[in-house]
Amino acid sequence: MQTTVQGKTLMLHDKITMSTVGESDYKRFCNCIQNEGIEKIDVSGVTEADSACVALLIAAKRLVAAKRLAHRQKFMLHITGVPSGLITLMALYGVEESLQ
């Protein structure tokens, strides 16, 4: 899993699967969401995704929701560039609407 930050956008690249996302990747991802003021996640660079990618996006939404409650401010997180295969996977898990 590769990530880059451009302004307030976290861009995800390459494969995001159970075999490519380790605990350290997950912690780095969460720290970035919490500490970099991320407002948008762009997944257009993801070449392969499975439930690990869905889990990361759910974790990001939860972190932003917790930040919004703690600071009583309106923090929003937008997810863009979602490939059709990932949309299908999110729909199968029943989280498509909550992630868009």
Side-chain angles (χ1 to χ4, degrees), residues 68-80:
R68 184 174 50 231
L69 288 174
H71 296 283
R72 292 191 170 98
Q73 295 178 355
K74 199 166 194 170
F75 292 101
M76 298 299 294
L77 181 66
H78 303 281
I79 299 171
T80 62

Side-chain angles (χ1 to χ4, degrees), residues 13-53:
H13 309 279
D14 301 326
K15 294 179 182 180
I16 302 182
T17 64
M18 295 294 291
S19 62
T20 64
V21 178
E23 185 176 346
S24 62
D25 296 311
Y26 176 75
K27 287 180 181 179
R28 189 171 46 248
F29 176 84
C30 290
N31 284 335
C32 186
I33 296 296
Q34 289 178 310
N35 301 320
E36 299 293 327
I38 298 298
E39 295 176 356
K40 181 168 68 170
I41 297 176
D42 183 346
V43 294
S44 62
V46 175
T47 58
E48 185 179 333
D50 66 9
S51 60
C53 188

